[in-house]
Amino acid sequence: MSTADPELVRVAVLAPVRGLFTYAVPAALSSGVRPGRRVGVPFGRRRLAGFVVDRIAAAPQGVVPKDVLEVLDEAPLLPESLFRFLLWTADYYLHPPGEVIKAALPAALANPPALRRKVRAEATVLEAPRPLTPEQGVAAATVSEAVGAGCFQSFLLHGVTGSGKTEVYLHAIERTLALGRGAIVLVPEIGLTPQLERRFRGRFGREVAVLHSGTSRGERAREWRRLRNGEARVAIGVRAAVFAPVEPLGLIVVDEEHDPSFKQEDRLCYHARDMAVARAKFASCPVLLGSATPSLESLSNVEAGRYRKLELRSRIDDRQLPPVDLIDLSGADRALLHEPLLRALGETLGRGEQAILFLNRRGHAGSLACRACGHVEGCPDCSVSLTQHLARRRLLCHYCGLSRPIPERCPVCGAPLVPLGAGTEKVEEEVARLFPAARVARLDSDVGAAAIASTLRAFRGQEVDVLVGTQVVAKGHDFPNVTLVGVVLADTGLALPDFRASERSFQILVQVAGRAGRGDRAGRVLVQTYHPAHPALVHAARHDYAAFASEELHRRRALGWPPYSRLCAVRVDGKSPVSTEQAARRLGAVAAERIRQSRLRAAVLGPAPAPIERLRGRSRWQLLLRATNHAAVRSLAIELQEAADDVGPVRVVFDMDPVSML
Ligand code: ADP
Ligand code: ZN
């Protein structure tokens, strides 16, 4: 390079474009244009922000670099190890690097000028750490030791419901702060578990910064800055908090690590649990994954020696896990609540105790159908039936949000329409009708965030006797006066076309059962089902995680599903059913050809129409790339990504390690 040659850098532009772009550095900006710095660059006819990735000696063939226009920050906006981790994430998920960096920045910073909000003062009560039980003590000491050592290590904390996992997290974080480092705590849905947030604030006060979607843009930007400048050192939040600017990072905790909400299904399709492990590696710190029902992926990582397992086998104060009885509905009448559950509910209320009734379907009826001609009211834009919501007097599509009045008669033949299948609204109504003296409340995503918080508060304060709800009620809540949990129908998720259907059903049953008997009085659980012999139910009823896992792993191995293989879902969607199918078939053919040529030990499953074939007016097809290791899936996906650029008027999304199969 002659002295006249300008210095060259590669920039990740904050725009949905693959790859890095080369720019020249004017001499005047030379000192500020360093890796990790945010700069302004010309992009097409626009001026965009981007991050400098590295310097290079020569521009790629045929590229005439334009000049960097300005340096936007005096100090790097992102900590260095976080920046490198984000570039790695982009690479892993085959996603534009600028888009990944954007996901890590509060919107206000990704799109300057930044908003500024007034800092709201928070009252904090500090409730003192508790003496740990011997099991908790061993777990906390082991993790604390790893924190002290300051090197990467993954732990799986398998603790039964009510065993006090949170207290272990709190202790390990205390140790982390004492060493002058910070921590990230990922939780599935913090809005649904305000109690957890209170416990962290109670212990760490203003050191806590909360990052979740419920907070305003400005507030999120404020919390982000408090973390970035070290005012706060404990970031608690939902999946995106894995990108929180905590530096130096001493520990990452993932609570309820099995929860599917850690997977983002749109834009950057990432799994926050997996990224937590990767980030810990970048930051050279331990990561602690906790659950009563660990994902089979994590369990197999333990078996392969990659994760170290820590166990809490008993509940606090040696309380018993509640006995679970399965109630066989085959041959039963069409009632919603059957005799054993009704009796138990009556007894529970009679003793002044509380109950939770769980049904994983919101609304009043699952669908509205015509008895005469069989017509089912469906969504015109999605291939699903509409759900009847009596409280709002509407039929709603649970996928696209379409809302229409409830028709009186069948639009095809004019006969009356009848509701099929019940939802939480109907359960609430039934309980109120059968137990007029009981105070009943409902908790599901039809209830707004504010109402969820106030309902949880009322239930905790024992102003509500029976709480009816969807999975929201199964989250980590700790209500000591709940002695009965009733599952209205355990079968809703069993038949989904998803290889994890059984695992999900098991997890959710164990979790919801775990809400009973957490206080001084023993609890019990009644589960209504048409499949009392299903392994997921049988093992959940015995709280037998080990037996379920070994049986399910056996099945997965036989069928070649994860954790015994790696997948990448290739989703194709478009306005026209014909061109969508054509594009999917074309990609399938390219993949098959590539496998043949290279003798890759990989397979392509499909293409096939997605189980939900139409969504928001678009046709959907998918194929699955499957291999025994990530590298093989990845190399196949990269080739398909090239091919996908010109397969027609469709959108193609690559979802590495997919979770949703619908
Ligand atoms: P998990 O998350 O494992 O289901 P939690 O962390 O919610 O359990 O703890 C269950 C209950 O036990 C909570 O009310 C918690 O305050 C209490 N608890 C936890 N650890 C202790 C301890 N060492 N001594 C007394 N109570 C504890
Ligand atoms: Zn719809």
Side-chain angles (χ1 to χ4, degrees):
M1 187 163 60
S2 80
T3 48
D5 283 339
E7 209 183 314
L8 297 174
V9 289
R10 293 197 301 169
V11 173
V13 178
L14 299 193
V17 286
R18 275 214 303 275
L20 301 172
F21 292 81
T22 305
Y23 290 91
V25 184
L29 297 182
S30 172
S31 65
V33 179
R34 307 233 189 96
R37 285 304 170 88
R38 198 166 58 128
V39 292
V41 291
F43 194 79
R45 270 185 275 154
R46 286 181 298 165
R47 187 184 252 247
L48 292 180
F51 281 75
V52 178
V53 172
D54 53 14
R55 289 161 200 268
I56 50 169
Q61 195 104 59
V63 171
V64 182
K66 293 181 184 167
D67 280 357
V68 172
L69 300 173
E70 60 197 321
V71 177
L72 292 170
D73 309 292
E74 283 174 16
L77 202 54
L78 296 169
E80 207 230 324
S81 88
L82 172 57
F83 182 63
R84 283 189 295 113
F85 165 65
L86 293 172
L87 294 176
W88 179 88
T89 302
D91 202 51
Y92 184 89
Y93 286 113
L94 310 174
H95 203 74
E99 291 287 284
V100 177
I101 296 172
K102 238 165 128 173
L105 289 174
L109 285 174
N111 313 305
L115 292 167
R116 274 178 202 283
R117 280 286 173 99
K118 263 189 287 174
V119 176
R120 191 161 40 92
E122 296 144 13
T124 50
V125 202
L126 295 176
E127 1 165 301
R130 295 192 161 88
L132 298 178
T133 64
E135 278 188 325
Q136 283 175 319
V138 171
T142 310
V143 178
S144 297
E145 196 180 313
V147 169
C151 43
F152 169 66
Q153 193 174 353
S154 305
F155 295 98
L156 176 67
L157 177 62
H158 181 190
V160 298
T161 54
S163 59
K165 292 184 283 293
T166 314
E167 207 57 38
V168 175
Y169 307 151
L170 291 168
H171 269 252
I173 293 169
E174 226 155 45
R175 175 83 186 128
T176 309
L177 295 181
L179 290 169
R181 300 177 207 144
I184 294 176
V185 183
L186 301 183
V187 295
E189 283 153 282
I190 200 163
L192 304 180
T193 46
Q195 190 190 8
L196 189 84
E197 182 180 335
R198 271 202 303 279
R199 275 169 84 177
F200 275 84
R201 285 199 192 276
R203 192 68 65 84
F204 304 118
R206 290 193 50 81
E207 289 269 24
V208 175
V210 175
L211 303 165
H212 66 90
S213 49
T215 50
S216 72
R217 246 179 176 223
E219 206 169 304
R220 245 179 297 165
R222 174 177 68 86
E223 291 294 74
W224 191 89
R225 285 207 193 84
R226 291 208 309 125
L227 288 167
R228 180 66 184 107
N229 64 28
E231 237 178 89
R233 292 187 295 164
V234 182
I236 304 185
V238 293
R239 58 190 176 224
V242 74
F243 303 126
V246 176
E247 177 76 15
L249 184 57
L251 175 67
I252 306 181
V253 172
V254 184
D255 188 27
E256 312 289 3
E257 66 88 31
H258 64 278
D259 198 294
S261 75
F262 284 121
K263 178 67 176 17
Q264 177 155 302
E265 299 288 356
D266 62 341
R267 288 160 304 158
L268 169 61
C269 299
Y270 71 100
H271 202 306
R273 176 200 57 220
D274 299 347
M275 288 306 99
V277 174
R279 179 152 185 208
K281 211 177 278 179
F282 271 82
S284 295
C285 74
V287 55
L288 174 59
L289 312 179
S291 177
T293 51
S295 64
L296 294 180
E297 282 81 0
S298 294
L299 182 67
S300 80
N301 278 322
V302 168
E303 286 171 1
R306 281 189 289 269
Y307 295 1
R308 177 161 170 198
K309 183 148 121 183
L310 302 167
E311 277 188 290
L312 305 178
R313 292 164 189 275
S314 47
R315 282 186 157 182
I316 293 295
D317 295 339
D318 280 324
R319 283 174 194 136
Q320 294 306 302
L321 284 166
V324 179
D325 291 313
L326 300 176
I327 303 169
D328 187 355
L329 294 188
S330 46
D333 60 26
R334 286 167 50 96
L336 202 51
L337 304 172
H338 293 266
E339 167 54 24
L341 183 51
L342 283 179
R343 194 170 352 111
L345 196 51
E347 287 164 8
T348 303
L349 293 172
R351 288 192 301 264
E353 295 165 5
Q354 291 170 294
I356 288 177
L357 293 182
F358 165 72
L359 175 63
N360 214 1
R361 188 195 285 144
R362 62 203 165 88
H364 195 270
S367 58
L368 208 53
C370 174
R371 277 249 179 94
C373 75
H375 166 82
V376 175
E377 281 288 283
C379 174
D381 294 328
C382 310
S383 46
V384 296
S385 56
L386 294 173
T387 304
Q388 178 174 264
H389 287 247
L390 277 191
R392 298 196 223 169
R393 298 170 188 282
R394 307 291 286 182
L395 286 182
L396 299 183
C397 172
H398 283 181
Y399 287 86
C400 75
L402 173 119
S403 157
R404 54 164 55 169
I406 299 174
E408 301 264 311
R409 309 197 145 261
C410 174
V412 178
C413 74
L417 292 166
V418 290
L420 288 185
T424 44
E425 260 187 35
K426 173 84 177 166
V427 178
E428 183 187 16
E429 193 182 282
E430 275 292 282
V431 175
R433 187 176 67 82
L434 296 165
F435 301 93
R439 296 161 301 176
V440 189
R442 179 166 55 86
L443 211 60
D444 56 40
S445 56
D446 288 328
V447 179
I452 286 180
S454 67
T455 301
L456 287 172
R457 225 177 4 251
F459 194 56
R460 174 169 313 284
Q462 298 181 33
E463 294 153 31
V464 165
D465 305 307
V466 184
L467 188 63
V468 177
T470 55
Q471 333 191 9
V472 182
V473 299
K475 301 289 166 182
H477 311 294
D478 188 40
F479 301 115
N481 195 44
V482 171
T483 54
L484 174 69
V485 164
V487 176
V488 177
L489 187 64
D491 311 352
T492 52
L494 285 178
L496 291 178
D498 179 338
F499 68 88
R500 291 193 184 90
S502 191
E503 183 183 8
R504 288 270 177 278
S505 297
F506 174 83
Q507 287 166 342
I508 212 161
L509 274 180
V510 170
Q511 294 289 346
V512 74
R515 301 313 111 201
R518 294 169 73 96
D520 299 333
R521 277 162 292 185
R524 66 180 296 206
V525 181
L526 293 173
V527 178
Q528 302 190 141
T529 175
Y530 288 97
H531 300 94
H534 193 288
L537 273 60
V538 170
H539 295 308
R542 295 184 190 137
H543 303 281
D544 197 343
Y545 173 83
F548 173 76
S550 104
E551 210 173 302
E552 180 66 13
L553 283 173
H554 193 75
R555 199 179 68 90
R556 297 271 183 95
R557 190 198 290 272
L559 298 171
W561 288 120
Y564 298 104
S565 64
R566 301 295 290 263
L567 302 176
C568 178
V570 184
R571 305 210 166 89
V572 186
D573 69 79
K575 281 219 172 85
S576 138
V578 176
S579 48
T580 307
E581 174 172 355
Q582 276 170 355
R585 293 206 183 280
R586 172 92 198 100
L587 290 174
V590 172
E593 181 56 24
R594 168 70 190 149
I595 292 169
R596 217 180 1 258
Q597 276 173 5
S598 65
R599 302 217 180 98
L600 268 178
R601 287 164 58 87
V604 36
L605 313 184
I612 298 170
E613 206 174 330
R614 272 181 86 68
L615 191 63
R616 298 183 185 90
R618 294 173 73 89
S619 291
R620 306 165 77 231
W621 278 66
Q622 61 190 25
L623 37 144
L624 281 178
L625 311 180
R626 179 163 82 177
T628 48
N629 62 67
H630 174 75
V633 173
R634 177 189 162 78
S635 75
L636 200 52
I638 288 175
E639 302 227 4
L640 277 196
Q641 221 172 23
E642 309 256 305
D645 286 341
D646 44 37
V647 284
V650 293
R651 182 171 55 184
V652 184
V653 172
F654 288 79
D655 184 359
M656 197 59 84
D657 311 321
V659 168
S660 167
M661 293 290 136
L662 299 182

